[in-house]
Amino acid sequence: MAEGQDKPIGEMNFEEALRALEVTVRRLESGDVPLDESIELYERGEELRKACQARLDAAQAKIDKIVSDSEGKPTGTAPFDAEV
């Protein structure tokens, strides 16, 4: 496997997970991977996609929690408790 491809997904930051997903997709698209390995790659890719999506959703929720004043100008942020 490529460097970092065997690292547990839960230990990856967003950028690492996204890079690993890109590598996985390229390998699958190459068509040079045996069927059994393709299935494993697909499963890992789906887990990587879910991890990336969860981090993006949490970031979006934090952005949505920015507190605005009566004129709509940002005045700070409100705490957001999201599990990533």
Side-chain angles (χ1 to χ4, degrees), residues 43-76:
E43 290 170 345
R44 180 158 173 90
E46 182 60 17
E47 292 302 313
L48 287 162
R49 183 201 65 78
K50 287 178 184 177
C52 288
Q53 188 62 55
R55 289 181 177 110
L56 288 171
D57 291 345
Q60 182 63 49
K62 287 179 183 179
I63 291 168
D64 291 344
K65 283 296 227 176
I66 293 174
V67 178
S68 300
D69 64 14
S70 61
E71 296 176 6
K73 296 178 184 174
T75 59

Side-chain angles (χ1 to χ4, degrees), residues 5-81:
Q5 288 293 301
D6 55 354
K7 185 175 184 178
I9 294 170
E11 295 178 11
M12 293 180 177
N13 62 34
F14 176 78
E15 291 76 13
E16 290 171 326
L18 186 58
R19 275 192 300 274
L21 180 57
E22 290 169 345
V23 168
T24 300
V25 169
R26 279 195 298 274
R27 290 190 64 207
L28 285 168
E29 287 178 339
S30 75
D32 296 331
V33 182
L35 179 60
D36 289 341
E37 189 177 347
S38 292
I39 292 168
E40 291 174 16
L41 282 170
Y42 181 86
E43 290 170 345
R44 180 158 173 90
E46 182 60 17
E47 292 302 313
L48 287 162
R49 183 201 65 78
K50 287 178 184 177
C52 288
Q53 188 62 55
R55 289 181 177 110
L56 288 171
D57 291 345
Q60 182 63 49
K62 287 179 183 179
I63 291 168
D64 291 344
K65 283 296 227 176
I66 293 174
V67 178
S68 300
D69 64 14
S70 61
E71 296 176 6
K73 296 178 184 174
T75 59
T77 58
F80 177 79
D81 298 326

